[in-house]
């Protein structure tokens, strides 16, 4: 099936060159390492878009020009005939910034919804897998390999259909496959993709083909169906080892049909993955028993993600109208400039000793607590934690509003998660604990802590976000055990 064609006169109109003052910029809807994404309204048509703004100086300094150009080129090649793929309506620039005007995905990313509902029902898993298959068929028919497919890069539009985004790591497959493998090899040391979703061939030979996206599809289907990623570990190295050994386990109660489908995609040898011997459409995939009863030519409306998952009633329009002046105002500009001023800190692999890494943070005897509390008296941050034992501490950039602030985070028994300004050595606050507190690692640097009233946006400049999440989870499990933990 050719996915529905979105092209309309309205779309054509917007292709002519725009400038920032053609849009009213609203709230920030997301931030990437090199970009800030705004909700914006076209002044003339009143249509909403997501505008990704990139600071030129930051891109150049971080040597990401190729990444940005590739994203633009790939989106240009893809054009607009597939509703499941983000559309680039227009690009423009001013002296310091680049602007990408994109389809606005109102309902966040898939990751958020998996976390919210713990996992998807069989109906939802199957429906969204079908949309992903259609999207991949379109991408691959255009000889584009995404190479970084994962729930975070799958957004939901206003009607809860998927929109695949983030084509910065994509590859335009050349006719001569040998040549394109060479291109990958040249990049041997630059890691493409995300550890948990990367295919074995990418790890072993730095080679990616369309089958690598099918591997990622297998990982995503596993995650939709179980709420967990198939390959996890405390460091990239450990995750890679598991991928190469195909070491993963289906949790109890995993749907048998989905299991069979995943097993046919998570195959080490790329040429043996389901669908690989088809040119698109992927008939072998479409015929899998998991899709029994699905009409790929007409998927119909998506099933509800949960009984309460009505499309979120949108107050975004209000957010847009708050900023009545077209273009980017000075507050918004200062956010971009600040991002450029953040220190460059390389992502380091985990380097804790194995014995330390495998030990649960809360497994401490009373004697050990006493003796560590004695030693802690020499710690300059002891003054801020009451008489609570510090289990972990480290500098974290905590974002609030426009500015990230560097804070010393102190995870203690109690439990408490205090933060202190390390420059003025003043106490700044505490993230409130409850059984609802939840961590979410976005990548090796960025993680979120969700509390009932607030989402904390945190960045570990040293790249230990996963370890922070693991430690916080251990403390949470200790103080707020689930029924499963107790039994
Ligand atoms: P990084 O560059 O660090 O890998 P990223 O690729 O997610 O991050 P962006 O593509 O700039 O960076 O997106 C930043 C965030 O903005 C995303 O995580 C997403 O939440 C939001 N976002 C991006 N594009 C859209 C869109 N078209 N509609 C709605 N939200 C979007």
């Amino acid at each position: 099936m050719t996915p529905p064609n979105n092209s309309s006169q309205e779309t054509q109109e917007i292709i002519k060159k725009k400038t920032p003052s053609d849009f009213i910029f609203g709230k920030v809807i997301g931030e990437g390492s090199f970009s800030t994404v705004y909700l914006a309204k076209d002044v003339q048509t009143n249509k909403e878009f997501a505008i990704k703004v990139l600071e030129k100086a930051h891109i150049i300094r971080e040597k990401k020009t190729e990444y940005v150009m590739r994203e633009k080129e790939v989106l240009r090649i893809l054009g607009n005939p597939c509703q499941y793929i983000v559309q680039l309506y227009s690009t423009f620039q001013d002296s310091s910034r680049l602007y990408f005007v994109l389809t606005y995905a109102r309902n966040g990313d898939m990751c958020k919804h998996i976390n919210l509902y713990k996992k998807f029902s069989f109906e939802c898993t199957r429906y969204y897998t079908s949309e992903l298959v259609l999207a991949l068929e379109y991408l691959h028919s255009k000889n584009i390999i995404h190479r970084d497919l994962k729930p975070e890069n799958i957004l939901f539009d206003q009607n809860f259909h998927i929109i695949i985004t983030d084509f910065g790591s994509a590859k335009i497959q050349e006719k001569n496959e040998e040549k394109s493998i060479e291109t990958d090899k040249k990049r041997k040391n630059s890691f493409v993709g995300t550890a948990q979703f990367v295919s074995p061939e990418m790890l072993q030979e730095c080679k990616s083909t369309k089958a690598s996206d099918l591997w990622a599809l297998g990982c995503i289907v596993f995650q939709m169906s179980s709420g967990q990623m198939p390959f996890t570990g405390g460091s990239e190295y450990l995750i890679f080892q598991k991928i190469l050994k195909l070491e993963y386990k289906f949790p109890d109660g995993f749907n048998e049909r989905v299991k069979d489908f995943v097993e046919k995609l998570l195959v080490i040898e790329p040429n043996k993955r389901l669908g690989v011997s088809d040119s698109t459409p992927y008939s072998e995939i479409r015929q899998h028993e998991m899709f029994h009863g699905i009409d790929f030519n007409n998927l119909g409306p998506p099933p509800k993600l949960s009984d309460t998952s009505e499309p979120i009633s949108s107050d975004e329009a209000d957010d847009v109208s708050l900023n009545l002046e077209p273009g980017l105002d000075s507050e918004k500009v200062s956010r971009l400039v600040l991002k450029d001023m953040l220190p460059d800190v390389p992502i380091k692999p985990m380097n804790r000793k194995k014995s330390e890494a495998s030990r649960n943070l809360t497994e401490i005897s009373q004697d050990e607590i006493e003796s560590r509390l004695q030693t802690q008296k020499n710690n300059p941050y002891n003054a801020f934690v009451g008489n609570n034992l510090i289990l972990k501490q480290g500098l974290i950039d905590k974002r609030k509003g426009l500015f990230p602030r560097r804070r010393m985070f102190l995870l203690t028994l109690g439990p408490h998660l205090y933060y202190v300004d390390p420059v003025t050595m003043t106490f700044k606050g505490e993230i409130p604990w409850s059984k609802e507190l939840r961590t979410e690692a976005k990548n090796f640097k960025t993680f979120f802590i969700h509390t009932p009233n607030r989402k904390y946006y945190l960045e570990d400049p040293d790249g230990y976000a996963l370890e922070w999440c693991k430690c916080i989870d251990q403390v949470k499990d200790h103080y707020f055990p689930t029924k499963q933990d107790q039994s």
Side-chain angles (χ1 to χ4, degrees):
M1 166 195 149
T2 311
N5 192 328
N6 274 356
S7 147
S8 65
Q9 242 184 331
E10 225 174 350
T11 307
Q12 296 306 319
E13 273 167 26
I14 201 161
I15 282 171
K16 71 179 187 325
K17 271 288 172 224
K18 297 271 185 186
T19 69
S21 39
D22 287 315
F23 296 92
I24 292 173
F25 284 75
K27 68 174 183 181
V28 171
I29 47 179
E31 286 189 283
S33 322
F34 311 100
S35 54
T36 301
V37 182
Y38 293 91
L39 172 60
K41 239 182 198 178
D42 183 290
V43 178
Q44 275 179 348
T45 63
N46 231 13
K47 262 189 83 165
E48 286 179 333
F49 295 95
I51 301 192
K52 182 161 162 170
V53 185
L54 305 115
E55 272 296 305
K56 287 182 191 172
H58 187 53
I59 301 291
I60 293 166
R61 215 192 48 224
E62 296 287 323
K63 301 190 175 60
K64 292 289 165 186
T65 316
E66 189 193 336
Y67 173 97
V68 175
M69 296 317 287
R70 191 170 332 132
E71 177 155 42
K72 183 177 165 189
E73 173 63 1
V74 167
L75 290 174
R76 194 193 56 75
I77 293 174
L78 291 173
N80 63 353
C82 181
Q83 75 166 110
Y84 304 127
I85 291 170
V86 74
Q87 183 178 339
L88 178 64
Y89 288 91
S90 171
T91 57
F92 47 89
Q93 54 179 302
D94 56 27
S95 57
S96 53
R97 290 179 287 274
L98 300 172
Y99 299 79
F100 285 16
V101 183
L102 301 161
T103 323
Y104 171 43
R106 182 178 296 272
N107 281 312
D109 67 38
M110 181 183 274
C111 207
K112 174 179 120 180
H113 293 280
I114 295 177
N115 286 332
L116 201 61
Y117 304 117
K118 307 284 181 254
K119 59 184 181 177
F120 287 179
S121 64
F122 171 70
E123 284 307 316
C124 279
T125 303
R126 167 163 99 148
Y127 183 89
Y128 287 116
T129 308
S130 310
E131 290 201 336
L132 282 165
V133 169
L134 289 176
L136 281 181
E137 287 181 352
Y138 178 71
L139 272 185
H140 292 174
S141 72
K142 294 275 185 183
N143 289 321
I144 304 287
I145 308 170
H146 187 287
R147 300 203 298 182
D148 196 15
L149 270 184
K150 55 181 174 178
E152 263 181 22
N153 288 337
I154 302 167
L155 307 179
F156 286 117
D157 74 7
Q158 64 200 45
N159 297 316
F160 278 93
H161 290 292
I162 63 160
I163 295 187
I164 296 183
T165 182
D166 198 356
F167 286 84
S169 306
K171 183 170 95 168
I172 305 161
Q173 205 175 29
E174 294 164 42
K175 289 208 177 78
N176 179 348
E177 180 63 14
E178 281 303 309
K179 208 171 159 194
S180 76
I181 292 171
E182 268 305 299
T183 317
D184 274 358
K185 276 188 178 160
K186 270 192 233 152
R187 256 190 244 134
K188 194 141 193 149
N189 294 321
S190 66
F191 173 59
V192 175
T194 303
Q196 288 89 343
F197 298 84
V198 75
S199 60
E201 63 274 16
M202 193 63 210
L203 290 175
Q204 274 173 325
E205 301 165 61
C206 271
K207 160 182 151 187
S208 52
T209 64
K210 292 167 182 166
S212 315
D213 283 347
L214 295 176
W215 171 277
L217 177 68
C219 296
I220 296 166
V221 177
F222 184 104
Q223 195 176 344
M224 282 195 279
S225 190
S226 66
Q228 303 161 22
M229 288 182 275
F231 305 101
T232 53
S235 68
E236 280 190 350
Y237 176 78
L238 293 174
I239 296 170
F240 294 163
Q241 291 305 306
K242 287 189 180 173
I243 292 172
L244 292 171
K245 288 191 241 154
L246 200 63
E247 196 182 303
Y248 72 101
K249 242 174 66 195
F250 291 98
D252 290 346
F254 198 99
N255 181 289
E256 285 300 322
R257 279 186 284 172
V258 182
K259 181 174 173 184
D260 186 78
F261 183 65
V262 169
E263 281 173 339
K264 289 188 164 118
L265 290 174
L266 296 186
V267 174
I268 296 281
E269 172 56 55
N271 291 329
K272 296 198 172 136
R273 285 177 206 147
L274 193 70
V276 147
S277 45
D278 296 322
S279 52
T280 57
Y282 285 129
S283 337
E284 224 184 6
I285 291 185
R286 289 182 178 209
Q287 280 156 17
H288 187 272
E289 58 165 348
M290 169 171 161
F291 301 109
H292 186 74
I294 287 276
D295 177 359
F296 276 90
N297 292 314
N298 178 16
L299 293 181
K304 281 189 184 171
L305 285 169
S306 87
D307 291 344
T308 53
S309 75
E310 284 300 328
I312 298 158
S313 72
S314 166
D315 54 0
E316 276 92 335
D318 297 338
D319 282 303
V320 172
S321 58
L322 283 177
N323 177 9
L324 292 171
E325 289 298 315
L328 276 176
D329 62 26
S330 56
E331 256 194 4
K332 293 192 172 84
V333 169
S334 66
R335 172 194 280 270
L336 289 164
V337 171
L338 189 96
K339 190 194 277 280
D340 199 35
M341 280 162 29
L342 284 174
D344 307 329
V345 191
I347 298 179
K348 287 189 213 147
M350 295 268 296
N351 59 1
R352 280 206 300 163
K353 278 188 245 145
K354 194 169 181 291
S355 54
E356 282 174 36
S358 56
R359 182 175 155 192
N360 187 313
L361 221 57
T362 55
E363 281 170 15
I364 347 174
S365 67
Q366 194 54 38
D367 285 350
E368 191 182 344
I369 294 180
E370 298 299 335
S371 89
R372 280 172 57 181
L373 276 172
Q374 279 303 319
T375 324
Q376 192 174 292
K377 287 187 177 147
N378 301 323
N379 183 330
Y381 292 94
N382 188 41
F384 302 103
V385 297
N387 200 29
N388 294 304
L389 182 69
I390 301 174
L391 300 171
K392 180 174 173 61
Q393 74 179 71
L395 289 169
I396 299 282
D397 291 324
K398 173 173 169 290
R399 276 176 190 269
K400 189 180 178 195
L402 290 178
F403 303 105
R405 314 255 187 211
R406 189 151 289 186
R407 299 287 179 239
M408 176 59 78
F409 269 69
L410 302 149
L411 175 63
T412 74
L413 288 180
H416 294 279
L417 190 46
Y418 302 110
Y419 47 95
V420 172
D421 184 332
V423 178
T424 58
M425 285 305 268
T426 45
F427 182 77
K428 286 292 170 183
E430 176 177 2
I431 296 185
W433 279 93
S434 68
K435 68 177 184 343
E436 281 81 30
L437 179 143
R438 183 168 63 76
T439 61
E440 183 191 343
K442 187 170 183 300
N443 51 45
F444 283 88
K445 263 184 166 179
T446 307
F447 65 109
F448 307 125
I449 299 181
H450 301 266
T451 65
N453 295 322
R454 187 167 157 197
K455 175 178 175 181
Y456 293 81
Y457 189 109
L458 305 167
E459 248 176 47
D460 180 349
D462 285 337
Y464 289 85
L466 293 182
E467 191 178 2
W468 269 105
C469 291
K470 190 173 114 192
C471 293
I472 294 166
D473 290 346
Q474 285 177 358
V475 174
K476 184 189 160 189
D477 291 345
H478 181 75
Y479 287 99
F480 303 97
T482 56
K483 284 207 180 90
Q484 219 175 358
D485 297 329
Q486 283 166 327
S487 60

